Each structure stands twice: as structure tokens, then as C-alpha cells.
Amino acid sequence: MNFPHNPTGALPSFADYERILEIAASYGIAVFSDEMYRLLERNEGDRLPAAVELYDKAVSLSGVSKTIGLAGLRIGWLVVRDERLMRRLVQLKDYTTICSSAPSEILALAGLRARDAILARHTSASNATSVCSTAS
């Protein structure tokens, strides 16, 4: 699932979100939750918890691409509580990519350290207007 939704920013209600996870739990299936736009909600009060916080078989994906605005770095992470699933994901990661580039990791760290300032700019009312709009 993808919340906040890309490209609309839509979010389910907390009750609907919980229900989705309850349905998954009733069948014992894992849920992959793309949370790359988390922290950029229009209304902070609508923010949903990470799926992994509510369901032990959820996998939450995040990174610096959208929230921090560093898409070119290709730095992200998964949060997993299920030990067996985590081992399988680590094996896949090790098979496909041993490590990222050091410059990307250093720039991602700088972005994460400045996260509060970056998020404030990304979510400010003045930034919500189109950057393409100009006075006539």
C-alpha cells in the first residue's frame, strides 16, 4: 500500500487503515507499505503511524528521495519486525546490492541531520503554491 498516496496525497482514515492491517493479519500475510511521502502530509494531524508500528508482518519503506528531496541519492530503508522475513530481505539485498556509494551516504546523512529544516520548507504554506506561478 502507499500512504500518503502518490500522486494524490490521499490518506485513509485511521479506522480504515487499521482495518486493512486487520484483514492482512487475519490471513497471515505480509503488507508492504510504501511510506516515502510520510511526514509530508498536508495536515500533520492526519498522519498515520508506520504500518510496521501496528502490524508485526508489515514492511515499511522510506528513504531520503521524497521527504528530504534527495531522490538522486537512491538511499532508503526498510523497517521489519518479522525476523524470518528480515533475513530473507537481507539476503536479497546482499544479492543485488552490497553497498551504496559513499558520497550518496554522506549526503543522505547531511539531509537527515537537517531533516527538520527541510521538512519545514517542504510543508510551509508559501511552498504549497506553484513555483511556476508568476505575477502578470
Side-chain angles (χ1 to χ4, degrees):
M1 57 189 178
N2 169 235
F3 301 121
H5 182 262
N6 176 19
T8 66
L11 292 163
S13 68
F14 182 76
D16 286 344
Y17 185 64
E18 276 190 314
R19 184 68 186 127
I20 292 167
L21 296 173
E22 286 170 3
I23 292 168
S26 72
Y27 289 97
I29 59 174
V31 171
F32 183 83
S33 181
D34 178 341
E35 300 169 10
M36 293 298 278
Y37 286 92
R38 191 165 188 274
L39 306 179
L40 293 177
E41 296 84 357
R42 290 188 181 123
N43 178 0
E44 189 176 331
D46 293 337
R47 182 170 301 140
L48 298 168
V52 75
E53 293 178 57
L54 300 178
Y55 179 44
D56 62 349
K57 289 189 137 211
V59 177
S60 291
L61 166 73
S62 194
V64 298
S65 295
K66 309 302 184 199
T67 306
I68 307 296
L70 298 172
L73 301 183
R74 298 299 197 215
I75 300 290
W77 52 87
L78 297 174
V79 180
V80 185
R81 292 192 308 171
D82 181 304
E83 293 281 335
R84 183 172 160 262
L85 180 57
M86 185 174 5
R87 282 192 302 275
R88 292 176 64 203
L89 290 168
V90 167
Q91 286 176 334
L92 177 64
K93 185 251 178 229
D94 287 347
Y95 180 75
T96 59
T97 309
I98 293 300
C99 63
S100 302
S101 73
S104 291
E105 291 179 0
I106 291 167
L107 290 170
L109 182 58
L112 290 167
R113 287 180 176 157
R115 182 181 88 159
D116 293 341
I118 293 169
L119 286 172
R121 178 167 164 69
H122 287 188
T123 58
S124 72
S126 64
N127 199 39
T129 60
S130 171
V131 295
C132 296
S133 63
T134 57
S136 304

